[in-house]
Amino acid sequence: MQLAAIVVSLALTVAGLALLVRAVAQFVRYFRLGQAVRPGSRTARPYRRSVTLAREFLGHTRLNRWGIVGVAHWFVAIGFLTLPPTLVQAFGQLFRADWVLPVIGDWLPFEMYTEFIGVMTVLGIAVLMTIRLRSLPSRAGRKSRFAGSKSGQAYFVEYVILTIGLAIYVLRGLEGTVHHVEGYEAGYFASYPLVLVFKGLSAEVLLNLVYLTAMVKISVSFIWMITVSLNTNMGVAWHRFLAFPNIWFKRDAKGGTALGALLPMTSGGKPIDFTDPGDDDTFGVSQVEQFSWKGLLDFSTCTECGRCQSQCPAWNTGKPLSPKLLIMSLRDHAHAKAPYLLAGGGKTMEGEEKASEEQLAGVPAAALAEAERPLIGTLEENGVIDPDVLWSCTTCGACVEQCPVDIEHVDHIVDMRRYQVMIESAFPSEAGTMLKNLEKKGNPWGLAKKQRLEWLKELDFEVPVVGKEIEDLTEVEYLYWVGCAGALEDRAKKTTKAFAELLHIAGVKFAIMGGDEKCTGDSARRLGNEPLFQELGMENVMSLNAAFGEEMDDDGKVTEDSKKPKSAKKIVATCPHCLNTLGNEYPQLGGDYEVIHHTQLLQHLVDEGKLLPVTPVEGIITYHDPCYLGRHNKIYTPPREIIAAVPGVRNEEMHRHKERGFCCGAGGARMWMEERIGKRINNERVDEALSVNPDIVSTACPFCLVMLTDSVNGKKNDGKAKESIQVVDVAQLLLDSVSSMKAAAHP
């Protein structure tokens, strides 16, 4: 038995280590196929990144949102990283059954730690296996977060962990017996029952059990290593290694998610100058190798846990997009195509082959076939990603928010959209109307710019307009950025007027732009039309800088003498999409402003006593979190505090709220596209709202207001919603409660 154990264990060890070294080398070569990133964008602030990595791993900050799953996974992960000494000890036990590690082998704290973590690893993996079995796709269908995951690989990994954990536990019991533990000892507090069981065995049987169990532990460990080394696309196994660099190289060194601003378009790691692009510049992604190396790392890190899928509004309403399946498809395609690319293969912009026939002679046929697949294409075209998958995304960010290994799904989706829009002109036809309106009129509806100021006629007080009543914004505290929806869409205009009236009541000095401003470009950018976004953005930045009293040089840049600090350039917006673009994306274009949402300012005014909600608003209210206010900008509390300040209303949260809030369906330029597949996302959200039987559905975004109102009105017509239910912005709700102050404000 001892000889067999030694031979089998050492043979598997040599094979496993050799294949692991080869696999690591393959990963290095594979990741180098990706495009460069902007210098320093993934490596700046190394100490801060290391702290973030330690916090995310040790705190399991994402997984612990899922309750018992997070706790169970924490013990499994800690066991994997800290129990390798037991593997070393098992090697020693192959040659001498009573061998222990030098120095720490019989140290009581080490023994107790091994006992505790060993048992908790077994319990942890048992919990995770039970959860997986209870969530079988065959039972739950699309509702299972494991739908589409490679179950065989997952079960293999889980049973390996369970077997190794049990082997550690059994070896501890055998060690106690071999070392003649006569009574209960703290160092064997968990395995002592096994010590009692093994006590009656003969010495020969005991020794053979040690050799056998040590062989099982070592063999299973290296069979696992051999298997995963031969399958480098086995994310459920490799994530335990790749998650660490993926988190370390994340976009935000301080730990924030890859939400808010989109990354500027680059080619070869350098920003693209759309006024004079280079001949070799690549616009977006049309081949998997055009993703950055961080993108390729993202794909390989996916553990197929399905948390992104479970939160995705598209997947939950019967659409083909699953963020998990998207990443898995890109990963499998990239790994399958890698031999071709590593041999020098690839296509020019004209579709010509870069490598010679001699270079590609040794490439496997499967890799050559994979290289012929279009990245974006229908099933008939054998595409890797179906166009319907690409255009189903609302960029709500739920996938990015929930991913425990910091995969940046939205960035990758937008990169693929950019190529489709800018090079192929392949996108939903309705969105083309929106783009033309933005180009010609500066707003998605194609209305004349003079209509931006029409809402002012419905107010009974004057609102200063920059360039008319006031020369610049130095005379007021805030610029109120009304936005396209707030100025031009009838339902959103109610929010605009309510907010303006509340500012007037509170005595806040504010002004608006004169109508020459254009759409911030949010929808254009998320659709994939980066040049149009930059054109609109640059015009707005120049207008805003001039409005704030800054002077421009001949190149259109702010002169150093006139440049004002960010704190002196305050903007308030009622639209979260404008908030996000102005505050997070315009700094990329030279516009650095302090931008807040209207609910933040209103909450501040209520707290200061400048707005006093006194009139009761009776009924149950439920609040819908706009994605670009919540997940993208982490603003959850102000709207709820305003609602809490209004007497009479009782807030009932929907099942999905805050970080797990459900999209209205309008983000990612979906506001301008028809929803032809599955259930409408806004109907799904309103169904959830109606489940709490509210009198008022409230939100804080004009897009959400439109989408929710459309759905509620449709359900009223179908008799599925009571006629009295209202959909209002938080500002409208607050105005109803402070309306009794109007007489005092306007005697």
Side-chain angles (χ1 to χ4, degrees):
M1 173 57 72
Q2 184 181 25
L3 180 61
I6 291 172
V7 171
V8 170
S9 298
L10 293 184
L12 289 172
T13 300
V14 171
L17 290 174
L19 289 172
L20 180 66
V21 170
R22 189 187 74 164
V24 171
Q26 286 177 338
F27 270 118
V28 172
R29 295 172 66 206
Y30 164 71
F31 293 140
R32 291 179 67 182
L33 291 171
Q35 298 294 306
V37 298
R38 286 176 298 123
S41 62
R42 298 290 180 173
T43 54
R45 306 181 68 184
Y47 173 76
R48 182 69 259 175
R49 290 179 179 278
S50 301
V51 171
T52 294
L53 172 59
R55 184 180 67 248
E56 286 201 22
F57 172 68
L58 295 176
H60 260 46
T61 51
R62 304 286 179 82
L63 278 169
N64 279 334
R65 298 175 183 175
W66 292 69
I68 191 171
V69 175
V71 176
H73 190 277
W74 189 88
F75 280 108
V76 172
I78 293 296
F80 177 80
L81 286 177
T82 62
L83 291 180
T86 64
L87 183 63
V88 176
Q89 184 149 316
F91 275 107
Q93 289 166 333
L94 290 175
F95 298 91
R96 203 179 80 197
D98 63 349
W99 189 83
V100 296
L101 287 167
V103 183
I104 63 169
D106 53 4
W107 185 40
L108 181 60
F110 173 74
E111 290 186 307
M112 293 183 68
Y113 178 82
T114 300
E115 292 268 314
F116 175 70
I117 293 298
V119 170
M120 294 308 295
T121 297
V122 171
L123 293 176
I125 199 63
V127 168
L128 297 180
M129 292 171 72
T130 301
I131 290 171
R132 184 180 294 275
L133 288 168
R134 290 185 63 184
S135 304
L136 283 173
S138 58
R139 298 176 188 170
R142 286 175 73 99
K143 290 186 178 179
S144 169
R145 62 186 175 92
F146 299 114
S149 298
K150 296 180 179 179
S151 298
Q153 294 182 355
Y155 288 132
F156 168 74
V157 170
E158 288 170 343
Y159 280 111
V160 162
I161 295 170
L162 179 64
T163 302
I164 293 173
L166 290 173
I168 292 173
Y169 184 57
V170 172
L171 273 174
R172 288 294 297 162
L174 289 167
E175 289 167 18
T177 309
V178 169
H179 294 135
H180 307 293
V181 173
E182 298 298 331
Y184 173 82
E185 291 184 11
Y188 295 90
F189 72 88
S191 61
Y192 184 68
L194 286 181
V195 175
L196 297 177
V197 170
F198 295 141
K199 216 167 190 181
L201 300 178
S202 67
E204 183 179 359
V205 172
L206 198 61
L207 292 177
N208 283 334
L209 280 176
V210 172
Y211 302 143
L212 175 63
T213 309
M215 181 185 71
V216 168
K217 174 171 170 46
I218 294 168
S219 299
V220 171
S221 297
F222 284 95
I223 287 172
W224 174 86
M225 185 178 291
I226 291 168
T227 303
V228 303
S229 297
L230 292 173
N231 295 274
T232 51
N233 65 342
M234 193 173 176
V236 71
W238 280 103
H239 83 276
R240 63 188 55 202
F241 303 110
L242 299 178
F244 295 104
N246 206 52
I247 294 171
W248 198 90
F249 287 120
K250 69 188 296 182
R251 199 207 287 185
D252 184 1
K254 294 184 291 185
T257 53
L259 295 173
L262 283 175
L263 294 175
M265 274 188 69
T266 60
S267 180
K270 299 178 181 178
I272 296 175
D273 180 1
F274 287 100
T275 61
D276 185 24
D279 294 336
D280 297 327
D281 283 348
T282 56
F283 298 94
V285 170
S286 63
Q287 301 291 328
V288 73
E289 63 269 24
Q290 291 172 348
F291 285 107
S292 70
W293 60 261
K294 176 58 169 65
L296 298 181
L297 177 59
D298 268 0
F299 306 154
S300 293
T301 306
C302 178
T303 185
E304 303 177 23
C305 67
R307 285 170 179 80
C308 58
Q309 179 175 284
S310 71
Q311 303 299 302
C312 178
W315 181 259
N316 276 279
T317 53
K319 296 167 181 61
L321 168 64
S322 157
K324 177 189 72 178
L325 299 180
L326 173 91
I327 296 298
M328 287 172 60
S329 296
L330 292 171
R331 176 196 66 199
D332 293 345
H333 171 62
H335 280 270
K337 188 178 179 181
Y340 163 80
L341 295 172
L342 290 170
K347 300 290 178 69
T348 65
M349 292 293 288
E350 293 75 27
E352 298 174 358
E353 187 65 61
K354 292 180 180 178
S356 65
E357 291 185 10
E358 291 78 12
Q359 288 177 291
L360 301 178
V363 176
L368 292 172
E370 196 69 28
E372 294 301 316
R373 297 181 66 191
L375 187 67
I376 308 298
T378 62
L379 183 63
E380 292 76 16
E381 296 167 333
N382 195 28
V384 178
I385 304 297
D386 191 280
D388 284 334
V389 169
L390 199 62
W391 298 111
S392 293
C393 180
T394 66
T395 67
C396 70
C399 49
V400 180
E401 180 70 38
Q402 293 299 327
C403 181
V405 292
D406 283 297
I407 293 172
E408 300 168 2
H409 313 70
V410 172
D411 287 348
H412 305 319
I413 289 172
V414 172
D415 273 341
M416 289 186 282
R417 284 183 170 187
R418 284 167 168 167
Y419 179 83
Q420 293 299 301
V421 171
M422 296 169 60
I423 305 300
E424 298 291 338
S425 294
F427 51 89
S429 58
E430 319 90 69
T433 303
M434 178 269 292
L435 292 177
K436 289 177 182 176
N437 288 336
L438 288 178
E439 291 171 359
K440 294 179 179 179
K441 298 292 186 178
N443 67 79
W445 286 275
L447 299 176
K449 67 178 183 179
K450 64 180 180 181
Q451 291 186 248
R452 284 185 176 272
L453 302 179
E454 288 295 303
W455 64 276
L456 293 174
K457 298 176 182 178
E458 301 175 40
L459 301 178
D460 57 3
F461 57 92
E462 295 294 326
V463 174
V465 177
V466 177
K468 295 182 180 179
E469 286 79 11
I470 59 174
E471 184 177 344
D472 57 41
L473 292 163
T474 56
E475 303 174 40
V476 297
E477 189 175 358
Y478 290 98
L479 166 68
Y480 172 23
W481 182 272
V482 180
C484 300
L488 302 171
E489 208 284 328
D490 289 339
R491 286 161 288 190
K493 280 197 280 188
K494 295 178 181 178
T495 303
T496 303
K497 290 181 286 188
F499 179 58
E501 190 156 353
L502 287 166
L503 293 183
H504 181 63
I505 292 171
V508 176
K509 291 184 177 181
F510 71 100
I512 64 171
M513 297 295 284
D516 289 330
E517 72 276 18
K518 296 186 176 181
C519 174
T520 58
D522 163 83
S523 291
R525 191 174 215 196
R526 276 145 190 83
L527 185 73
N529 195 329
E530 183 73 9
L532 179 56
F533 160 74
Q534 293 208 13
E535 179 185 335
L536 294 167
M538 289 301 295
E539 290 185 36
N540 282 332
V541 165
M542 292 181 68
S543 298
L544 285 168
N545 289 343
F548 280 111
E550 295 179 325
E551 298 176 1
M552 311 291 175
D553 59 21
D554 294 338
D555 296 325
K557 296 181 180 179
V558 177
T559 60
E560 286 299 322
D561 292 341
S562 69
K563 193 171 185 178
K564 295 184 178 180
K566 181 177 177 179
S567 58
K569 298 179 285 185
K570 295 182 179 179
I571 301 175
V572 59
T574 43
C575 176
H577 297 265
C578 294
L579 165 86
N580 183 67
T581 307
L582 292 166
N584 296 329
E585 297 188 330
Y586 275 15
Q588 299 172 8
L589 306 177
D592 199 15
Y593 316 110
E594 183 179 321
V595 188
I596 63 171
H597 191 246
H598 73 292
T599 57
Q600 293 174 295
L601 181 53
L602 291 178
Q603 180 207 353
H604 177 68
L605 295 174
V606 170
D607 290 345
E608 283 194 333
K610 294 181 178 179
L611 291 174
L612 297 174
V614 292
T615 304
V617 179
E618 301 295 338
I620 297 173
I621 188 170
T622 189
Y623 174 72
H624 162 80
D625 286 285
C627 300
Y628 273 79
L629 185 64
R631 275 189 294 268
H632 282 271
N633 285 281
K634 313 303 178 192
I635 300 172
Y636 298 107
T637 302
R640 289 175 169 82
E641 292 203 354
I642 293 170
I643 291 170
V646 175
V649 295
R650 179 161 58 89
N651 187 30
E652 289 282 347
E653 294 282 10
M654 287 180 257
H655 173 65
R656 293 177 285 207
H657 63 280
K658 292 188 177 179
E659 289 87 353
R660 291 201 194 183
F662 198 78
C663 184
C664 74
R670 288 294 323 175
M671 178 82 171
W672 320 106
M673 302 181 225
E674 289 298 325
E675 203 168 337
R676 298 186 176 91
I677 305 173
K679 183 179 181 181
R680 291 183 65 87
I681 294 174
N682 59 337
N683 286 341
E684 173 73 11
R685 186 53 165 166
V686 166
D687 283 342
E688 189 171 359
L690 295 179
S691 68
V692 302
N693 193 30
D695 299 291
I696 302 170
V697 177
S698 183
T699 188
C701 168
F703 284 14
C704 295
L705 190 72
V706 169
M707 299 297 284
L708 298 177
T709 301
D710 284 348
S711 182
V712 166
N713 289 341
K715 292 183 182 297
K716 284 180 181 179
N717 295 334
D718 295 337
K720 297 178 181 178
K722 54 190 178 185
E723 285 296 324
S724 60
I725 190 171
Q726 303 176 63
V727 181
V728 299
D729 187 274
V730 172
Q732 294 170 263
L733 178 74
L734 182 60
L735 181 61
D736 286 344
S737 188
V738 301
S739 58
S740 61
M741 297 176 62
K742 291 181 183 179
H746 308 289

